[in-house]
Amino acid sequence: MAGDQYASAVADIAQVFMFEQWLRHYFVVERDGKLFIEIPQDDLTEIHGKQTGLAGLADMLNNGEISYEKCQAMVCAFVGARFDGSKYGPEVISRTLDSKAFKIEMYVFGVWMKGHESFLDAERLPFAEWLEMYDGWKSLDQVKEYRRKLEAGGGDPNQPSSACVH
């Protein structure tokens, strides 16, 4: 797989996973001990206007009971339908999902979310603002160095030796 295509696939797929995290962060409600994603119509209309390529995932998850397994299955189905065979050739998506680069990207995003949780909880921020904040944070020298260590094999992104990146 060409490097540019691979990097592009990592970025595209990661954005879908990040969007799903954003949806769960702001639109999950609990009823009778079960979790549901409920996106108010005004917010759904805004998503369709501003996140046109991702709005289908919001539609798939909206008003449904969720679990980790269901979200994972829906995100993977959405990624496959959106990219597999249309934007990327055979096996690019599955190889990307299994790649170290994708695992590192998602791990680093998780570190960012955890480190900024109180700020993200203070008010509902648009998804575009999440992406902008995350990109700004990733450009910090400490984060770049931490990422280089992960990429060089300085730890498993699923079980890193330290989660301290500030």
Side-chain angles (χ1 to χ4, degrees):
M1 167 171 26
D4 288 346
Q5 182 182 29
Y6 178 73
S8 179
V10 168
D12 285 343
I13 296 169
Q15 186 178 53
V16 174
F17 277 70
M18 292 172 191
F19 182 71
E20 184 265 345
Q21 287 284 325
W22 177 80
L23 290 172
R24 284 194 292 132
H25 193 86
Y26 291 120
F27 299 107
V28 167
V29 297
E30 184 178 350
R31 286 196 318 258
D32 300 323
K34 297 178 182 178
L35 300 176
F36 296 83
I37 288 187
E38 292 182 359
I39 307 168
Q41 188 57 51
D42 289 347
D43 294 314
L44 193 57
T45 300
E46 183 177 329
I47 289 168
H48 275 272
K50 293 182 178 179
Q51 302 298 328
T52 56
L54 297 168
L57 181 59
D59 292 336
M60 288 171 66
L61 292 168
N62 194 26
N63 295 318
E65 183 180 349
I66 62 164
S67 65
Y68 173 78
E69 294 80 12
K70 182 177 179 182
C71 286
Q72 184 178 34
M74 290 184 114
V75 167
C76 289
F78 183 81
V79 164
R82 183 164 181 220
F83 300 123
D84 198 18
S86 57
K87 185 170 183 177
Y88 299 104
E91 297 186 29
V92 171
I93 299 303
S94 61
R95 288 175 53 193
T96 301
L97 288 169
D98 288 336
S99 73
K100 183 175 180 178
F102 179 73
K103 290 175 184 173
I104 289 171
E105 183 65 28
M106 295 314 304
Y107 173 74
V108 171
F109 179 72
V111 170
W112 173 80
M113 280 188 63
K114 187 172 181 93
H116 293 82
E117 191 170 9
S118 61
F119 182 77
L120 299 174
D121 287 347
E123 64 179 288
R124 187 173 61 81
L125 301 169
F127 181 61
E129 196 168 324
W130 268 41
L131 293 179
E132 185 178 316
M133 290 170 37
Y134 177 57
D135 285 343
W137 179 78
K138 283 194 315 183
S139 71
L140 296 173
D141 289 340
Q142 299 98 325
V143 177
K144 287 179 184 178
E145 180 60 29
Y146 182 66
R147 192 178 189 112
R148 276 192 290 275
K149 287 179 182 176
L150 290 173
E151 289 166 355
D156 178 351
N158 295 317
Q159 295 181 330
S161 57
S162 172
C164 297
V165 179
H166 296 281

